[in-house]
Structures are given as C-alpha cells and as structure tokens.
Amino acid sequence: MGQFEVYSSFPGNFTLISNRFLEDYMPKANGEFVKIYLYLLGRCQSGKAKMELSSIADTFNCTETDILRALRYWKESGIMDVSFDQAGNVTKVRFAVPESKLPAYETKPSAPAVSRNKLQDLKGREEVRQLLFIAEQYLGRTLTPTDVETLLYLYDEVHISAELLEYLIEYCVSKGSPSMAYIRKVGLSWAQQKITTVSQAKEETNLYNKNYFTILRAFGISNRNPLDKEIQYMNLWLNQYGFTLDIITEACSRTVLSTGKASFSYADSILESWFKKGVRHLSDIDSLDMNYQQKKAEKAKARPKAPAAGSKNKFNNFHQRNYNMAELEKQLLGK
C-alpha cells in the first residue's frame, strides 16, 4: 500500500489531547487502538505527515489489518475522518477536536451543549435525577461531568424524552457499545429520523436485530442471541463496509464451506478483501471469481509439461537387445 496523509486541526507544535477524548473515548476503546491514535496524532503535530500502513505496523509489531481496524474504529467513533480510494487503500486520515465535532443541532462549535445555569436547573428536576441514576445503573459507573452534559443536552436541546433516553442507554449497552459518544450518536440519529417514542425506537432497532439473526442463520447458528464480539463484526460489515445482507450471507456460506464452522474472523477476512476490491453487488463477486479462475487456468498452461511416464520396470531404461535363444543353446551345449 502507498503513502497517505495524516493531519490535524490542532494548533501549535505539540500534541494536544482533548479532555472529551480522555473522558468519553479512551476508557472504552481497545488499548491498541488508543496507542495507534496517539501515535498518529503525535506524528502530525506540525499539521501534516506522510505515512504508510506498513511502517506503522512495524512500529507496533502488528499487521496492516490491525492498523486498519483501529482507523475504522476511530472513524466510526466520529473523531477521525479516514478516506479510501476505490481499491480500499487509505489515502487520508484527518483528526478533529472532539468538542468541535458537534451535531447539526448546535450552532456554535465552541459553545457548551448546555449552559451551567441550565445544567443546575435540570439537575433539580426529579425526572432528570431519576434518568441520571438509571444511566449509572446501566453503564455500571459514575457519570462524568461530560456524561451528564451529553445526556442533558439530548434531553433539553434535542428534546428526547427521559423514557426514550432510558431505552437509548439500555439499547446501546445491550449492543456492547456503552460509550457516551456512541449513545449521543444514536440519539441524534433517532432525532433526525423523527423517532420520539420507545415503540418507534424498538421498531427501528428490531431491523438491526433481524439483520443479526439473518447473519447468524447464514452461519448455521440458531436458538441463541449474538455475542458482543459477533455484534462488533456484524456492525462493521453492515455499517462500516456498507454491505447488503446478500453479500454478507455469501461470505458466511463460503466461510462454512472452507472451514467447516462459523468463523466470524474468517468471514471478516473475506469481506474486508471484497471491501478493498470495491464489491457492492453479488455480480461483482461473480466477476472476481471468474478473474480468479482465468488466472488459475493461465498459470496452469504456463507450467512446463512433465515428461511422459515410462514403464514401472526399471530395466526398461537400458537398451533392449534381441537374442536368438536356440543359437545360444547350441553354443552352450557345444562347449
């Protein structure tokens, strides 16, 4: 893979780490992903840097695929913009200050989501206190000031009801994505889709659940819910790669045929390859298969032909002579 540009919008010749990153993003991220994020951020401290996946992989003693997983994770989190060319190669990585990457509802990038006075007023409401208590129970931790600000922003500015916020938190936690950044992302998405009730939200989330179970059935898995790691893979295929179910199920079928089992990592290697090659329809996969078979046939023709197999009798390697057995017998008897 070739070089790609990495640059940030941070000022000065130093590495600036946002408090929001430290509070919302870092605690829930894979440690290797955090290291790669900080490494790339430090390398582009002057504004821009030219890098290669292979050099980053060598630095961390991992594979290029591991680096790509980290880039896609941060892109999905909303604090990194990663661009790919048609072949699936990385062409650009851009960092953005988490506080400045605000949703469309906010008018001033530098302004807090909710004013201090408003925060105090909201915290005095019984409904809000109950909401924050329930949020801590679902998340299994004490809410940070940023957590509280985010939830109250969704409640007061985006006008998501307390009941719907409770379901939103429950839903995100059940998916294995309890970060406040993800909760805010899903909440804003629901608001844009005009989802205002729990029943509407359940109808929307059931669509995702149906997709999960369709993929599980393609693996031959039934009578159980998907595991957290499996959900992460399926979200990657559905959301990050943007594949339709027919393409995903095709990869699942090929996985079972090749390995004899339901291997999400093996299916991911197939889908990642298709993603890099620009697959968008089943017909694209057919074209790839045809090209593969053609190249395979061309290689077979190019191989030198093996010499024809001779007789299994090793004495056939010697020159054969014709003898007159009657004449030989007379000569022997005459001695």
Side-chain angles (χ1 to χ4, degrees):
M1 293 186 180
Q3 290 185 334
F4 57 90
E5 292 183 349
V6 183
Y7 61 98
S8 74
S9 55
F10 299 134
N13 190 27
F14 55 87
T15 304
L16 180 64
I17 306 298
S18 162
N19 286 335
R20 176 153 288 179
F21 173 81
L22 298 176
E23 293 178 356
D24 289 349
Y25 298 86
M26 188 178 71
K28 299 302 179 183
N30 178 294
E32 295 301 315
F33 291 176
V34 173
K35 289 196 294 185
I36 292 169
Y37 178 93
L38 296 176
Y39 175 77
L40 292 176
L41 186 58
R43 291 297 299 273
C44 66
Q45 58 183 346
S46 60
K48 184 182 294 186
K50 292 278 189 180
M51 303 197 70
E52 294 181 356
L53 287 180
S54 58
S55 63
I56 304 172
D58 289 341
T59 299
F60 288 94
N61 192 27
C62 62
T63 66
E64 294 183 19
T65 300
D66 294 329
I67 305 299
L68 284 171
R69 291 188 194 282
L71 295 179
R72 292 192 185 101
Y73 174 84
W74 293 120
K75 179 178 181 179
E76 187 176 355
S77 297
I79 61 173
M80 179 186 287
D81 180 32
V82 184
S83 302
F84 299 88
D85 61 18
Q86 292 184 346
N89 298 319
V90 180
T91 58
K92 186 185 297 182
V93 174
R94 180 181 180 277
F95 288 88
V97 182
E99 289 88 348
S100 67
K101 196 174 182 64
L102 298 178
Y105 297 97
E106 300 181 33
T107 56
K108 297 180 180 180
S110 59
V114 183
S115 67
R116 293 182 181 277
N117 291 337
K118 189 67 173 178
L119 281 173
Q120 294 302 320
D121 176 61
L122 291 172
K123 288 180 181 178
R125 301 181 187 180
E126 177 61 28
E127 183 179 54
V128 171
R129 289 200 300 269
Q130 183 70 13
L131 168 64
L132 298 180
F133 172 78
I134 291 174
E136 288 187 336
Q137 303 309 303
Y138 276 122
L139 296 174
R141 59 179 174 82
T142 302
L143 297 178
T144 67
T146 302
D147 293 338
V148 174
E149 181 182 351
T150 299
L151 290 175
L152 295 188
Y153 165 72
L154 293 173
Y155 173 82
D156 189 63
E157 297 291 331
V158 186
H159 305 297
I160 299 178
S161 69
E163 181 184 19
L164 184 55
L165 275 174
E166 289 178 19
Y167 178 71
L168 168 63
I169 298 167
E170 177 188 356
Y171 167 68
C172 292
V173 170
S174 69
K175 286 187 62 179
S177 302
S179 73
M180 194 56 63
Y182 185 78
I183 291 172
R184 180 176 63 175
K185 179 180 178 180
V186 175
L188 292 175
S189 174
W190 287 359
Q192 291 171 350
Q193 296 175 68
K194 308 299 183 184
I195 294 175
T196 58
T197 66
V198 172
S199 60
Q200 290 174 331
K202 286 183 176 180
E203 183 177 351
E204 172 67 17
T205 54
N206 281 339
L207 173 61
Y208 282 96
N209 290 335
K210 288 178 182 178
N211 289 341
Y212 292 157
F213 286 108
T214 298
I215 296 171
L216 287 180
R217 285 195 298 272
F219 273 126
I221 300 173
S222 59
N223 301 322
R224 72 166 176 82
N225 291 325
L227 305 177
D228 289 345
K229 186 64 177 178
E230 294 170 346
I231 290 175
Q232 291 176 17
Y233 272 122
M234 290 187 285
N235 285 340
L236 174 66
W237 303 338
L238 291 165
N239 303 326
Q240 195 64 37
Y241 293 167
F243 283 138
T244 52
L245 281 175
D246 56 353
I247 292 177
I248 296 174
T249 54
E250 176 66 18
C252 296
S253 298
R254 296 187 180 206
T255 295
V256 174
L257 287 173
S258 298
T259 66
K261 61 181 179 179
S263 172
F264 278 78
S265 59
Y266 190 92
D268 182 59
S269 67
I270 295 175
L271 290 167
E272 183 178 30
S273 174
W274 288 349
F275 175 73
K276 289 180 179 179
K277 293 175 181 177
V279 168
R280 286 294 174 267
H281 306 283
L282 285 176
S283 58
D284 297 331
I285 301 173
D286 294 336
S287 297
L288 290 176
D289 289 342
M290 289 179 62
N291 290 335
Y292 173 77
Q293 292 300 332
Q294 288 175 357
K295 290 180 180 179
K296 186 176 179 181
E298 290 171 0
K299 287 182 179 179
K301 289 181 180 180
R303 294 195 193 101
K305 292 184 178 180
S311 170
K312 294 183 180 180
N313 188 341
K314 62 181 179 180
F315 295 104
N316 284 336
N317 293 328
F318 296 96
H319 177 67
Q320 301 295 310
R321 297 179 182 179
N322 294 321
Y323 294 99
N324 187 322
M325 299 304 298
E327 187 64 32
L328 283 175
E329 185 178 356
K330 288 181 182 180
Q331 291 178 8
L332 290 171
L333 292 174
K335 285 185 177 181

